[in-house]
């Protein structure tokens, strides 16, 4: 009865989280774990915290095995690599949630520009659904290919979409300074970047204006709002394991009040289980979203300057990756969105 | 021959740093350490890292002792408390560097509004000099009362002053999101704020639009530029001991280039030993300024949106407090600015 | 049908964890939350991570309310304070799990010596059961008053009991160096100890030979083994939020082998769901037990010196406090020990 | 007049520290920086904190350049690599301080066993001097080849030598649990070990009984004391950048007192500027030695068990590497030991 789940790239950081969630999810059974590096070995060698909890072995990739043993496949491969598997599996009725960036950008040329690779399946870009549950749940229900959103874009889009739709901010000059914990950098060493001695007690901006999440943010906000959106985007590394804070500076189009802003968010997110709205002077903090599937939104509006600064926080591994992927799965199968994600910060 | 130095509030976090610097400074001798709590006790009980380096005892406050034994007094008392000592010592030719906020704001009413206290010596506000060495060195040389700048204001003013003076940004709508390490919160416990378990692996905005460093930033930028300045200011706590990063979003008045921006900064700070300018795509990082007296400036200019984001970093305890205080002392006594501050990150 | 649960001291750090676990536990309902400080206020003011998850308000202590609304009471008050509530509630059939140290030591004089307070209910000490589930489950099932074990003692007793029972080590000269994260220090500020700036990037031994967990370890190992036990105990603070590592140096009575040691542990803990045994050269790490109810045991045996070093790790807040308390509750009510504690590191 | 200094392996973590110290040392001039990776590039590309402080470029290794431009060479290459350079430079009167392990072990077979490499210059092992200044200053003065001690061995030998010499402990069964910050692991990524996400909020024992610092400790304590020494050695990683704490459990040969122990240490280290002795119940903490060249020693003696636990702390990069190397240089050139190392924690 349980949904049979396969995971490609099972040794990756995000796959570890996905496995933990799926093991406790009442409607799923993990039937296939693929890892090139750990093929033939127990998954606990890749994720020692699964010791005593999961006894599955990893396998090499095998198309037949995937198709015969899985209903739903989560792909946790890196950008550029993921699409190859989708190509290989395209003539099947397998459902796929791709956690890479390969099917997020709708324009193969933009993909090529930002990721430096030719897209292998441009014809799929149009019908792949951007899996941001709070915005696209209708389409998520219908599709068999989900492009799971990026971590930074999730935090920024959820903060901006209601305001742009309400027409109260200038969508063409949005300044985002976003700060991510190191789990966002995955398990691959990058010189001077994600070693403990590089990141500890440090904060470091990187790839200002050159991070591929920028066109993703702009595309989705534009598609949603039908307005031109331009974002100046600077990501930073902060010395925590999990969590993103996006500080988003917007120019209000007219004088606002905190009550008006609160109303815009409350209406937009009415009934959404994973959005938490903080009213000034209350503000979220990372420790309350880390380990959860929440996105928490707070803001400060300065009446003198008409500057509205929205502060958006989430756990990059959960709401920004594995949690959101399960949320999408829940929607695809008509489960409650919170199934298996009771709230997050369980223990 | 050495300058005789007294320190009030010698047990405070910032005084500990000051003592370390002054012990190695070739032109100073510490002759008086005041601490109410540690009176009669060795200073190493307050600052265990001074063990084996400094054998002085703390004393209770005594006006005569200060006047007879000190030429220069650093006051490391909290806001509101500091001015009482200045009142007591005003009829003397003692030089004073006050590290509290008591003499920073020029208007006693604004002081009262933001600090909740009546000013005890409003007549001194006019001639107290705001000790930002890179801007006010001429006045610093002449005065006997220095208001040592706040940590956040130092980082923001140094980033903005050149741009406002050059007239290339809108000075009336500046958005600042600043992030400080916990040493900025000092040694006094604040519920839910500066315990290890509150701050570890956490990021937390606080007092958005309500932090007393906001009027300080506005006042000094206005005084300097003779233009109206308005800042939307949101401070945050980040889980590091030392360091501030201020992310400052400015709207450019016209299309700029990185070359023009670089030139503005380079001309403004020509010959300044403690300013480090990073050219895009290079950016500073906290680990390179922590433990130093540097202020490091980088930026990202987005031509599409005309948004200029300046990233300013410094060590809140050094360039943002004790280091700057010694820099002021060096100017007052016509020493090289770097004397006893060879660069900072020595060991 | 669910067990009605009350919690005294609901604003404490450990109570926050307990509430999280109990909210998801399928057989419990929280019916009473006591907090002096937060009486009349929502529990989310004490534990912001409960926002959106728990809407209960705190109340002042009221004996009638406890007795009429609760079947089981968890007391999360500090040492010395807790026993007063047990006195007040003694003539009832309420079940109590006391997370303080008040009923751990069986001898009121030893209690007085180490905690500096006269015991208010010495006659209860004999029948209070030390709630170490892996050792005392039979008694836990029968009692109505559980003394929930200390965090350090849990880690040390679980490591030593099998070896002492097997007679392979000298029980009279055990050296323990234990290292705890800061959550063990709770929410009360202690000067120079648990501020972020005190603990960050620091390791600090404290109260060597003078920590009240030492007699607790000795008492329980003696009671269990009927042998004399003497422990040299040095606790330390390490800059993490959760986790204890106890490094226990034992002198083997005779030449051992890793196989023999493994067998001793495996037999002793056969069927225990929360004990993880690591065979050399494998060793546990804190990140695999943090957020779980596991106790992980590894060791290194040096044949040349006959020194056996056992390394015991657990999460001080879970297996060392709230998790163990729920484990005891599960045993009292004949639930599977793992009910509501599926494994711990869920999200 | 200044000593001309060359550094091989200038891009390594420890070389960065060495450069910082030497730049401020009043008697040295850096004349040659070798780095394979950064040849032709400014040293600030390897060590960004040197920006504005050091403008030297790295060069490829060239024997003639070394011999013509340097009087003293610090080798910061990895174990196994270093000895090749010493072979190449042996027929010269260059003085060499080798920071690798290549000349620490006196027996080429033991070197081969623990480092897995044949020694290239076994005939030099006898006259290479183990550069532990507090023990071997006489020999350091005379030699032209110094084997700079390992970080763990420095902390353990300084703690044990006085006690073994005094004959008060059993030297044949010493249990050491040592904990090091991540700077000890250098800049080379090691899977599952020194990424931020591996080490953050984690503590992890590794290579118990299999770390090559164990024979180094035993050899030096034996050579010094002429007694058989056996150490059970377990290193751990702790989530800090700098600092080692070694917890050393010794069995006293007879009943001792804290006064006797204090006297043993005080006599042994009389006049030593970098040894700090803490009398019970005082204990050192990492934050007081990090950034300094100190080794701090505290202990707890349990009279009931006759167990003596010594706690030894130092900064692994300074007293455990670069600081000690400069201390050796000072001794070689008859400078005060503290020259250029005024105390360490300067800023």
């Amino acid at each position: 009865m349980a949904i049979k789940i396969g995971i490609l790239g099972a040794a990756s950081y995000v796959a570890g989280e996905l496995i933990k969630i799926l093991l406790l999810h009442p409607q799923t059974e993990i039937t296939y774990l693929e890892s090139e590096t750990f093929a033939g070995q127990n998954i606990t060698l890749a994720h020692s915290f699964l010791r005593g909890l999961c006894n599955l072995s990893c396998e090499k990739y095998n198309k037949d095995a995937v198709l015969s043993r899985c209903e739903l496949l989560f792909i946790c491969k890196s950008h550029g690599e993921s699409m190859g598997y989708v190509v290989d599996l395209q003539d099947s009725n397998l459902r796929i949630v791709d956690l890479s960036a390969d099917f997020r950008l709708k324009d193969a040329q933009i993909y090529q520009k930002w990721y430096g690779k030719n897209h292998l399946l441009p014809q799929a870009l149009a019908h792949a659904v951007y899996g941001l549950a709070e915005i696209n749940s209708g389409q998520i229900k219908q599709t068999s290919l989900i492009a799971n959103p990026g971590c930074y874009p999730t935090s920024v889009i959820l903060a901006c979409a209601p305001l742009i739709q309400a027409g109260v901010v200038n969508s063409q000059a949005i300044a985002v300074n976003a700060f991510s914990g190191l789990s966002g950098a995955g398990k691959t060493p990058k010189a001077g970047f994600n070693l403990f001695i590089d990141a500890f007690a440090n904060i470091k901006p990187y790839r200002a204006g050159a991070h591929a999440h920028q066109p993703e943010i702009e595309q989705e906000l534009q598609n949603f709002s039908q307005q031109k959106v331009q974002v100046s985007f600077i990501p930073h590394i902060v010395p925590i394991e999990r969590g993103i804070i996006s500080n988003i500076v917007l120019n209000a189009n007219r004088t606002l009040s905190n009550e008006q802003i609160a109303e815009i968010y409350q209406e937009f997110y009415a009934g959404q289980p994973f959005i938490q709205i903080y009213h000034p002077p209350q503000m979220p903090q990372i420790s309350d979203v880390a380990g959860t599937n929440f996105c928490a939104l707070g803001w400060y509006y300065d009446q003198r300057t008409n500057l509205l600064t929205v502060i958006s926080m989430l756990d990059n591994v959960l709401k920004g990756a594995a949690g959101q992927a399960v949320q999408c799965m829940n929607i695809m199968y008509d489960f409650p969105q919170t199934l298996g994600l009771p709230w997050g910060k369980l223990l």
Side-chain angles (χ1 to χ4, degrees), chain A residues 181-196:
Chain A
L182 269 290
S183 56
K187 288 185 173 182
T188 310
K190 285 161 201 145
F193 194 75
N194 60 352
L195 286 188
F196 186 88

Side-chain angles (χ1 to χ4, degrees), chain A residues 311-328:
Chain A
I311 295 182
S312 175
M313 296 189 183
L314 49 75
D315 182 320
N316 53 304
V317 185
L318 293 171
K319 183 57 181 166
Q324 182 141 269
V326 172
Q327 193 183 350
C328 283

Side-chain angles (χ1 to χ4, degrees), chain A residues 112-132:
Chain A
Q112 208 282 333
K113 177 184 165 196
W114 288 86
Y115 289 95
K117 287 178 178 150
N118 286 318
H119 204 284
L120 302 177
L121 200 65
Q123 64 274 29
L125 293 175
H127 69 264
V129 171
Y130 191 77
L132 189 54

Side-chain angles (χ1 to χ4, degrees), chain A residues 84-102:
Chain A
Y85 296 93
V86 178
V87 168
D88 193 45
L89 296 161
Q90 63 182 311
D91 302 320
S92 73
N93 45 25
L94 188 70
R95 297 190 189 189
I96 293 177
V97 178
D98 178 21
L99 285 90
S100 86
D102 282 357

Side-chain angles (χ1 to χ4, degrees), chain A residues 243-254:
Chain A
I244 280 178
I245 165 171
S246 291
N247 289 37
I248 305 162
V249 176
L250 301 132
N251 286 285
N253 287 332
R254 47 180 168 87

